[in-house]
Amino acid sequence: MPTPKDFMTSVKPTWCPGCGNYGMSEALRRALAELGWEKHEFSVVWGIGCHGNGADFLDVAGMHGLHGRSLPPAAGLALTRPDLQVIVEMGDGDGYGLGLGHFVHAARRNVRLTCITHNNQIYGLTTGQASPTTDRLMQTVSTPQGVLEQPVNPIGLALAEGATFIARGFAGDIAHLTQLYIAALTHKGFALVDVFQPCVTWNKLNTFQWFKERVWRLEDRGWDTSDRTAAFDLSLSTFHALTCTPDECTVPIGIYYQQEGVPSYGDELAAASVPGYKQAESPRDINGILDAME
Amino acid sequence: MLLPLKASEGFEVRIRIGGPAGFGIKAAGQTLAKLFARSGLETFDLTEYPSLIKGGHNTYHLRVGTDTINSHVLDTDILVALDHETIELHLAELGTGGAIMYDPDDFDPLSLGIVDLRPDDRCMVPVPLKTIVPEVGGPAIMRNAASLGAVLGYIGFPFEPLQESLETQFARKGPAIIEQNVAIAKAGYDHARANECGFPYRLQPVPENGKRLLVDGNEAIFLGAMAAGVGFYSAYPMTPASSLLHLMAAHGEKEGVVVKHAEDEIAAINMVIGAAFGGTRAMCATSGGGFSLMVEALGFAGVSETACVVGVFTRPGPATGMPTWTEQSDLRFVLHASQGEFPRVVLAPGDHQDAFDLTWRAFNLADQLQTPVIILGDTYLSDNRRTVTRFDGSEVNIERGLLVAEGDLAAHPEALDPQGRYARYKDSPAGVSLRALPGVIGAEQIVNSYEHDERGFGSRGEDAHTRVIQNEKRMRKLELARDLVPPPVRFGPDRADLSIILFGSTKMPTLEAMRILQREGIAINILQIVTLWPFPAEEVRAFLESTRRTAVIEGNMTGQLRGLIREHCLIDVDETLNRYDGRPFSPDQIARWVKEVIQ
């Protein structure tokens, strides 16, 4: 059975020292090891961004796709390979900017896959522009007057579109994040884990320290994960004033909402129950279709 | 009364049904085509309609006969006019002695003030649709059945095939509806028999031919993909590709194809790439606008060496353009789409049989070359039905190339690097590397949109030496492709007055024009370029050098194929015929043009 270390490749990570991605990748490797998944039993699809550079560091048969487009190939893979578990890793700029349409449709589609968002509230790889989740009025190189838009509320969007597992994690709490990943990876449907992952280079506002003063665990306060309306209210905590003190704004982490027993998209299709490559082992007999056409 | 009739090409009848959108004109016409096909006759139809659900002028044209029919024509023998606009728009195509069927309760054609319409050279066939239908108690839409009956009655075709066809069509609606439709059709049939003006064409079933298969281009592509073992199809609706999505959706679940109507074309092709990564034969199709959205992902498939099939069925652009009409203006677009350089194959079916054959071959090529294959079609092919010999599934073979779908990679040491790790992009003389699917033990890899090293690592792909190795490895696959792709096809005599090069659906009217010209003692020959990329420069050059006078016929304004020939063969053709009004070339237009240029 693989250990967390077995999932590492020989490529040395290129993330900045102190980057939140280290905690996220450590938590994922621990979760995979704890679940006992072998490398050939799952696949990962990455988008483009700092998070995506992690494709080189995880030893798996995976795909490093286009910016903003990690969810569609993951759905294509999951629906044709029921024998594999599929994980998506995407960024906030990647998944909630270019890929927001795919994200909303993925939530309502409920294909069985785990969607992990590396949410650092900034564009890191392209040197510090505002992302869809950057706090309102924060100044960046692309928003010198401050961001004039509300941040995207991924949890609220996923709830609105009927996602069946929605959680938020913090890269600074690896033990907690590992448990969130395990819950998401074993969920039978679309599972979102949006992870706050401070960018030490470009985001001087939402730092590790900033989060440490504000995060609290939902389970510590007996959160009811079946209450969709309450989860939506809670998701609005994404919106806070730029200069709010730890007393004024907090960041709840944990499982916001989970609904079990909902059939996933693939569960409802007989065609999705067999690996797709088996359809092309020999030519398909088209005589039945031809007879009906004549 | 016996009227002098314009000579028809071969033994055939040309029927045009015209009227406002929403009258079920296409469905009625296809019922007719199907019963002729079932009776062993040859047919070819052309539906022309604006991008509307109701209103606007729709027409359905059908050729039916006993000889091979390669394309539509404009000439008409029977004009079924469900409104007076049909007569105004199409009278010129109706030869002397041709028949006009109309409802005398709607209008009298002779009182429309049309100068060219005289009662002594056209046969007037009043069929009182509005009277017949209420007589048997049917709703207005049943008028179509009366029209169909009238057409058959007029050409002396037996009534029984129509009765059988109506019985099948309305089987689910119960015996009462069937009886009504049959009674209305019979009334139309009898009316036309009583007003036939001695119409000289008598079409009869040819039972010894057996049933002929009637398909449009999208149906042929669908059947080719099914035979090839397609396991995933994804698309966003776009005319004229939508019917392919409908076919896949209707049959997919039973046949083991996951079919996804995606949120947009970007998702559609990315889903295809994901499914293909899992080893599934995967396809998407769209028109130029949707393909514009797919372009980035096409490059992803190229650099990641993903085997997939993309259908691009051209309609007139740019932008939304003319959604329901045809053009061949996306040739350069599909050849060059996406940034950077990567190998692709572009196949252009010229007719319905090509569409079936090239589609299943496209899946083999994609797997053998591990790169995207584009099927370049157009509305003329996608939308229009013709009779073909039933497609022979036993001719289909599956070549998956260097693929390991299951098991342990330890059994394939040739695919490993010196450290014993799987090298997905290992350099090789032909440029193709062994593809091991996720799920295979030891198949850890990164299928990458970044440039990458042989294991797929993006961070190591930026090394200058690695970049050159991987770039050259991929592009080398084009040389392998040259040995695998279908070569150009030649039609006609060795020596000709004009030698024509073309691609795609222009093959159909040009073959028909060749027959017309032959009857007039003029010889043309044709080189159909089936594989547009890699461009068959040697074959094209040999053809050009063996001929006296050369031409290109293509459905675009700027001469995209002509330019390709000049670029790759360093030879310019003598003449070109372009069309870019949204309509397909008609055989008589081509024949007329040939006569002009050879003078």
Side-chain angles (χ1 to χ4, degrees), chain B residues 75-98:
Chain B
D75 289 341
T76 300
D77 303 308
I78 300 172
L79 184 63
V80 180
L82 298 179
D83 60 8
H84 61 79
E85 199 186 359
T86 301
I87 301 177
E88 288 153 9
L89 288 170
H90 300 288
L91 184 68
E93 298 148 12
L94 189 68
T96 304

Side-chain angles (χ1 to χ4, degrees), chain B residues 9 62 96 102 158 176 199 223 257 263 345 425 442 475 512 524 548 570 595:
Chain B
E9 281 90 22
L62 179 68
T96 304
Y102 63 99
F199 195 69
L223 287 161
V257 189
E263 57 267 31
V345 172
Y425 300 113
M475 292 308 275
E512 200 70 27
I524 59 169
R548 276 187 288 181
L570 301 176
K595 283 188 266 183

Side-chain angles (χ1 to χ4, degrees), chain B residues 172-196:
Chain B
R172 286 163 60 184
K173 302 210 167 164
I177 299 282
I178 291 174
E179 260 174 53
Q180 271 182 333
N181 272 285
V182 170
I184 290 166
K186 190 69 172 54
Y189 188 84
D190 293 341
H191 258 280
R193 297 287 296 205
N195 289 281
E196 62 181 18

Side-chain angles (χ1 to χ4, degrees), chain A residues 40 55-56 59-60 62-65 69 72-73 81 102 105 109 265 270-271 276-279 283-284 287 291 293, chain B residues 34 226-227 230 253 255-256 260 263 266 270-271 274 278-280 390 406 421 438-439 445-449 458-459:
Chain A
H40 63 277
D56 281 8
D59 202 28
V60 65
M63 175 175 260
H64 196 168
R69 317 295 178 201
R81 290 297 302 269
H102 305 311
H105 289 285
R109 191 166 290 148
Y265 193 96
Y277 61 81
K278 289 184 182 288
Q279 300 293 344
R284 187 184 272 115
N287 283 307
D291 289 344
M293 285 174 100
Chain B
K34 194 155 192 174
M226 292 305 278
V230 66
E253 181 66 349
E255 300 289 342
K260 188 73 205 85
E263 57 267 31
I266 299 175
N270 277 288
M271 284 181 181
T280 302
R390 184 177 161 120
E406 290 171 350
R421 301 302 312 262
Q445 61 190 295
I446 291 298
V447 165
N448 213 327
S449 74
S459 53

